[in-house]
Amino acid sequence: MTDTAIASTSVLDNPAWHSLTGAHAHLAIGGDLVKRYPADVSPFLGVRSWEEPGVWDAIAELLGSGAELAISHADPEVPAGWAQTWRGEGVQLVQTPRLQTRPDDEVVELGADDADDMLALVERNQPGPFLPRTYAMGRYIGIRRDGKLVAMAGERLHPVGWTEISAVATDADYRRQGLASRLVLDVAFHIQERGDQALMHAAASNTGAIAAYEKLGFELRRATPFTGVRVP
């Protein structure tokens, strides 16, 4: 990667915040310390800094008692009375000059009219969080066979200068045909056409997907903890 690209990766240490205060500001709900997406768009929230006094009070005020939140890219100490509900380990990958993007003639763009099909595909394949209006976060594309949506991918977080490729899912009967790779390369092509660079996240245990993304031209940047927490 170029020196410019390396210098710009600082926003990737807090991508939700930089997305909610940047390209996704029109979706943001919250104040100066904490912002979140609408509940039907994404479970992630952005925090300016976990070192800010009052940040946990701001989260409680924003979400309300009993609400659950997903903390990503940070591992703050949870205050007394707050319950950790789950924990996962992930990885963050970023594009390298080896990534050879290209548009794909077979893909179709997906939106509100396709939401039910997208949710059904995600339910069958479990690529990660996807809600009824997650498609509002960016450009989503898919491949249909005999009218059925069998593969999809799209854009999620948009920290300045970067766009995350997410929701990469392919039905079992259509795997090992290169559909996921084609979708990722098409999404990345349009990301680069806008002047952004592509990044991805994956569960650390999903070694097959990580290897596939590295083969396409991504490289590991950092490990990323993910934690679910319930507001008291």
Short mmCIF file of all heavy atoms in Angstrom, two decimals, residues 126-161:
data_model
loop_
_atom_site.label_atom_id
_atom_site.label_comp_id
_atom_site.label_asym_id
_atom_site.label_seq_id
_atom_site.Cartn_x
_atom_site.Cartn_y
_atom_site.Cartn_z
N GLN A 126 -25.93 -16.67 7.56
CA GLN A 126 -25.34 -16.06 8.76
C GLN A 126 -23.99 -15.39 8.51
O GLN A 126 -22.99 -15.72 9.17
CB GLN A 126 -25.20 -17.12 9.85
CG GLN A 126 -26.51 -17.75 10.29
CD GLN A 126 -27.44 -16.77 10.97
OE1 GLN A 126 -27.02 -15.94 11.78
NE2 GLN A 126 -28.72 -16.83 10.63
N PRO A 127 -23.92 -14.42 7.58
CA PRO A 127 -22.63 -13.74 7.36
C PRO A 127 -22.30 -12.69 8.42
O PRO A 127 -21.19 -12.17 8.45
CB PRO A 127 -22.84 -13.08 6.00
CG PRO A 127 -24.31 -12.77 5.98
CD PRO A 127 -24.96 -13.95 6.67
N GLY A 128 -23.28 -12.35 9.27
CA GLY A 128 -23.08 -11.29 10.25
C GLY A 128 -24.33 -10.46 10.36
O GLY A 128 -25.33 -10.72 9.69
N PRO A 129 -24.32 -9.42 11.21
CA PRO A 129 -25.53 -8.64 11.44
C PRO A 129 -26.08 -8.02 10.14
O PRO A 129 -25.35 -7.38 9.39
CB PRO A 129 -25.07 -7.53 12.40
CG PRO A 129 -23.84 -8.09 13.04
CD PRO A 129 -23.18 -8.94 12.01
N PHE A 130 -27.36 -8.25 9.89
CA PHE A 130 -28.04 -7.64 8.76
C PHE A 130 -29.50 -7.47 9.16
O PHE A 130 -30.16 -8.44 9.53
CB PHE A 130 -27.92 -8.49 7.49
CG PHE A 130 -28.36 -7.78 6.25
CD1 PHE A 130 -27.45 -7.06 5.48
CD2 PHE A 130 -29.68 -7.82 5.84
CE1 PHE A 130 -27.85 -6.37 4.35
CE2 PHE A 130 -30.10 -7.13 4.70
CZ PHE A 130 -29.19 -6.42 3.95
N LEU A 131 -29.98 -6.24 9.10
CA LEU A 131 -31.31 -5.89 9.59
C LEU A 131 -32.19 -5.41 8.43
O LEU A 131 -31.73 -5.27 7.30
CB LEU A 131 -31.16 -4.83 10.68
CG LEU A 131 -30.35 -5.27 11.90
CD1 LEU A 131 -30.05 -4.10 12.82
CD2 LEU A 131 -31.07 -6.38 12.66
N PRO A 132 -33.47 -5.15 8.69
CA PRO A 132 -34.39 -4.82 7.60
C PRO A 132 -33.97 -3.64 6.73
O PRO A 132 -34.31 -3.60 5.54
CB PRO A 132 -35.70 -4.53 8.33
CG PRO A 132 -35.66 -5.44 9.52
CD PRO A 132 -34.21 -5.40 9.95
N ARG A 133 -33.23 -2.66 7.29
CA ARG A 133 -32.81 -1.51 6.48
C ARG A 133 -31.29 -1.36 6.41
O ARG A 133 -30.79 -0.26 6.14
CB ARG A 133 -33.46 -0.22 7.00
CG ARG A 133 -34.90 -0.05 6.63
CD ARG A 133 -35.36 1.41 6.62
NE ARG A 133 -34.99 2.11 7.83
CZ ARG A 133 -34.29 3.25 7.85
NH1 ARG A 133 -33.87 3.81 6.73
NH2 ARG A 133 -34.01 3.84 9.01
N THR A 134 -30.56 -2.43 6.62
CA THR A 134 -29.10 -2.35 6.48
C THR A 134 -28.71 -1.90 5.07
O THR A 134 -27.69 -1.24 4.88
CB THR A 134 -28.45 -3.70 6.81
OG1 THR A 134 -28.72 -4.01 8.19
CG2 THR A 134 -26.95 -3.66 6.62
N TYR A 135 -29.56 -2.21 4.10
CA TYR A 135 -29.27 -1.80 2.71
C TYR A 135 -29.12 -0.29 2.57
O TYR A 135 -28.52 0.20 1.60
CB TYR A 135 -30.37 -2.30 1.77
CG TYR A 135 -31.72 -1.70 2.04
CD1 TYR A 135 -32.07 -0.45 1.55
CD2 TYR A 135 -32.67 -2.39 2.79
CE1 TYR A 135 -33.31 0.12 1.82
CE2 TYR A 135 -33.92 -1.84 3.05
CZ TYR A 135 -34.23 -0.58 2.56
OH TYR A 135 -35.45 -0.03 2.83
N ALA A 136 -29.63 0.49 3.54
CA ALA A 136 -29.53 1.95 3.47
C ALA A 136 -28.11 2.44 3.73
O ALA A 136 -27.82 3.63 3.53
CB ALA A 136 -30.49 2.59 4.49
N MET A 137 -27.21 1.57 4.15
CA MET A 137 -25.85 1.97 4.49
C MET A 137 -24.96 2.12 3.25
O MET A 137 -23.87 2.69 3.34
CB MET A 137 -25.22 0.97 5.47
CG MET A 137 -25.97 0.87 6.78
SD MET A 137 -25.25 -0.32 7.95
CE MET A 137 -23.86 0.62 8.58
N GLY A 138 -25.41 1.59 2.11
CA GLY A 138 -24.57 1.71 0.92
C GLY A 138 -25.14 0.91 -0.23
O GLY A 138 -26.31 0.57 -0.26
N ARG A 139 -24.28 0.59 -1.17
CA ARG A 139 -24.69 -0.15 -2.37
C ARG A 139 -24.63 -1.65 -2.10
O ARG A 139 -23.60 -2.18 -1.74
CB ARG A 139 -23.76 0.22 -3.53
CG ARG A 139 -24.01 -0.54 -4.83
CD ARG A 139 -23.06 -0.06 -5.92
NE ARG A 139 -23.20 -0.84 -7.15
CZ ARG A 139 -22.47 -1.92 -7.44
NH1 ARG A 139 -21.51 -2.30 -6.60
NH2 ARG A 139 -22.66 -2.57 -8.57
N TYR A 140 -25.75 -2.32 -2.29
CA TYR A 140 -25.82 -3.77 -2.15
C TYR A 140 -26.14 -4.39 -3.50
O TYR A 140 -26.95 -3.86 -4.27
CB TYR A 140 -26.87 -4.18 -1.11
CG TYR A 140 -26.32 -4.06 0.30
CD1 TYR A 140 -26.30 -2.82 0.95
CD2 TYR A 140 -25.77 -5.15 0.95
CE1 TYR A 140 -25.76 -2.69 2.21
CE2 TYR A 140 -25.23 -5.03 2.22
CZ TYR A 140 -25.22 -3.81 2.84
OH TYR A 140 -24.67 -3.69 4.09
N ILE A 141 -25.50 -5.51 -3.77
CA ILE A 141 -25.69 -6.20 -5.04
C ILE A 141 -25.90 -7.68 -4.79
O ILE A 141 -25.56 -8.20 -3.73
CB ILE A 141 -24.49 -6.01 -5.99
CG1 ILE A 141 -23.19 -6.53 -5.34
CG2 ILE A 141 -24.34 -4.55 -6.40
CD1 ILE A 141 -22.00 -6.57 -6.28
N GLY A 142 -26.48 -8.35 -5.80
CA GLY A 142 -26.70 -9.78 -5.66
C GLY A 142 -26.71 -10.47 -7.00
O GLY A 142 -26.66 -9.84 -8.06
N ILE A 143 -26.77 -11.77 -6.94
CA ILE A 143 -26.91 -12.62 -8.13
C ILE A 143 -28.14 -13.48 -7.93
O ILE A 143 -28.31 -14.12 -6.88
CB ILE A 143 -25.66 -13.49 -8.35
CG1 ILE A 143 -24.46 -12.60 -8.75
CG2 ILE A 143 -25.92 -14.55 -9.42
CD1 ILE A 143 -23.15 -13.35 -8.90
N ARG A 144 -29.03 -13.45 -8.93
CA ARG A 144 -30.24 -14.27 -8.89
C ARG A 144 -30.11 -15.41 -9.91
O ARG A 144 -29.58 -15.22 -11.00
CB ARG A 144 -31.47 -13.42 -9.20
CG ARG A 144 -31.81 -12.40 -8.12
CD ARG A 144 -33.11 -11.66 -8.42
NE ARG A 144 -33.46 -10.71 -7.39
CZ ARG A 144 -34.12 -11.01 -6.28
NH1 ARG A 144 -34.55 -12.27 -6.08
NH2 ARG A 144 -34.40 -10.08 -5.38
N ARG A 145 -30.62 -16.54 -9.52
CA ARG A 145 -30.70 -17.68 -10.42
C ARG A 145 -32.14 -18.19 -10.38
O ARG A 145 -32.65 -18.49 -9.30
CB ARG A 145 -29.72 -18.78 -10.00
CG ARG A 145 -28.25 -18.37 -10.10
CD ARG A 145 -27.76 -18.35 -11.55
NE ARG A 145 -26.47 -17.68 -11.71
CZ ARG A 145 -25.29 -18.27 -11.51
NH1 ARG A 145 -25.24 -19.53 -11.11
NH2 ARG A 145 -24.18 -17.60 -11.71
N ASP A 146 -32.78 -18.24 -11.54
CA ASP A 146 -34.19 -18.62 -11.63
C ASP A 146 -35.05 -17.76 -10.71
O ASP A 146 -36.00 -18.23 -10.07
CB ASP A 146 -34.37 -20.11 -11.30
CG ASP A 146 -33.63 -21.01 -12.26
OD1 ASP A 146 -33.62 -20.71 -13.47
OD2 ASP A 146 -33.07 -22.03 -11.80
N GLY A 147 -34.69 -16.47 -10.63
CA GLY A 147 -35.44 -15.52 -9.83
C GLY A 147 -35.10 -15.50 -8.36
O GLY A 147 -35.51 -14.58 -7.63
N LYS A 148 -34.33 -16.47 -7.87
CA LYS A 148 -34.00 -16.55 -6.45
C LYS A 148 -32.67 -15.86 -6.17
O LYS A 148 -31.69 -16.08 -6.90
CB LYS A 148 -33.92 -18.02 -6.02
CG LYS A 148 -33.55 -18.24 -4.56
CD LYS A 148 -33.40 -19.72 -4.24
CE LYS A 148 -32.99 -19.94 -2.80
NZ LYS A 148 -32.80 -21.39 -2.49
N LEU A 149 -32.64 -15.05 -5.12
CA LEU A 149 -31.39 -14.42 -4.71
C LEU A 149 -30.52 -15.48 -4.04
O LEU A 149 -30.87 -16.00 -2.98
CB LEU A 149 -31.67 -13.27 -3.74
CG LEU A 149 -30.46 -12.46 -3.31
CD1 LEU A 149 -29.85 -11.70 -4.49
CD2 LEU A 149 -30.83 -11.46 -2.20
N VAL A 150 -29.38 -15.79 -4.66
CA VAL A 150 -28.53 -16.87 -4.16
C VAL A 150 -27.20 -16.37 -3.62
O VAL A 150 -26.47 -17.13 -2.97
CB VAL A 150 -28.29 -17.94 -5.24
CG1 VAL A 150 -29.61 -18.56 -5.69
CG2 VAL A 150 -27.52 -17.37 -6.43
N ALA A 151 -26.85 -15.12 -3.89
CA ALA A 151 -25.60 -14.57 -3.38
C ALA A 151 -25.72 -13.06 -3.30
O ALA A 151 -26.45 -12.43 -4.09
CB ALA A 151 -24.42 -14.95 -4.28
N MET A 152 -25.02 -12.45 -2.34
CA MET A 152 -25.08 -11.00 -2.18
C MET A 152 -23.84 -10.50 -1.47
O MET A 152 -23.08 -11.26 -0.88
CB MET A 152 -26.33 -10.58 -1.39
CG MET A 152 -26.36 -11.09 0.04
SD MET A 152 -27.80 -10.50 0.98
CE MET A 152 -27.16 -8.89 1.50
N ALA A 153 -23.63 -9.20 -1.56
CA ALA A 153 -22.58 -8.49 -0.83
C ALA A 153 -22.92 -7.01 -0.90
O ALA A 153 -23.74 -6.59 -1.73
CB ALA A 153 -21.20 -8.77 -1.42
N GLY A 154 -22.30 -6.22 -0.07
CA GLY A 154 -22.59 -4.79 -0.11
C GLY A 154 -21.67 -3.97 0.76
O GLY A 154 -20.64 -4.45 1.25
N GLU A 155 -22.06 -2.72 0.96
CA GLU A 155 -21.26 -1.74 1.69
C GLU A 155 -21.89 -1.49 3.06
O GLU A 155 -23.10 -1.32 3.17
CB GLU A 155 -21.19 -0.43 0.92
CG GLU A 155 -20.58 -0.57 -0.46
CD GLU A 155 -20.70 0.71 -1.28
OE1 GLU A 155 -21.34 1.68 -0.81
OE2 GLU A 155 -20.18 0.74 -2.40
N ARG A 156 -21.04 -1.40 4.09
CA ARG A 156 -21.57 -1.13 5.42
C ARG A 156 -20.94 0.15 5.96
O ARG A 156 -21.36 1.25 5.61
CB ARG A 156 -21.35 -2.34 6.34
CG ARG A 156 -22.08 -2.21 7.68
CD ARG A 156 -22.14 -3.51 8.44
NE ARG A 156 -20.83 -4.03 8.80
CZ ARG A 156 -20.65 -5.12 9.54
NH1 ARG A 156 -21.69 -5.81 9.99
NH2 ARG A 156 -19.42 -5.55 9.84
N LEU A 157 -19.91 0.09 6.78
CA LEU A 157 -19.33 1.29 7.37
C LEU A 157 -18.58 2.11 6.34
O LEU A 157 -17.97 1.57 5.41
CB LEU A 157 -18.40 0.92 8.53
CG LEU A 157 -19.07 0.20 9.71
CD1 LEU A 157 -18.03 -0.16 10.76
CD2 LEU A 157 -20.17 1.06 10.32
N HIS A 158 -18.60 3.45 6.53
CA HIS A 158 -17.94 4.36 5.60
C HIS A 158 -17.05 5.36 6.36
O HIS A 158 -17.29 6.56 6.29
CB HIS A 158 -18.97 5.16 4.79
CG HIS A 158 -19.68 4.39 3.73
ND1 HIS A 158 -19.43 4.56 2.39
CD2 HIS A 158 -20.64 3.46 3.81
CE1 HIS A 158 -20.22 3.75 1.69
NE2 HIS A 158 -20.96 3.07 2.54
N PRO A 159 -16.02 4.91 7.07
CA PRO A 159 -15.09 5.91 7.64
C PRO A 159 -14.40 6.64 6.50
O PRO A 159 -14.21 6.07 5.42
CB PRO A 159 -14.11 5.04 8.44
CG PRO A 159 -14.19 3.69 7.82
CD PRO A 159 -15.59 3.53 7.33
N VAL A 160 -14.04 7.88 6.74
CA VAL A 160 -13.56 8.74 5.66
C VAL A 160 -12.41 8.06 4.90
O VAL A 160 -11.44 7.59 5.47
CB VAL A 160 -13.12 10.12 6.20
CG1 VAL A 160 -12.00 10.00 7.21
CG2 VAL A 160 -12.72 11.04 5.06
N GLY A 161 -12.56 8.01 3.58
CA GLY A 161 -11.55 7.43 2.71
C GLY A 161 -11.66 5.93 2.52
O GLY A 161 -10.92 5.35 1.73
#
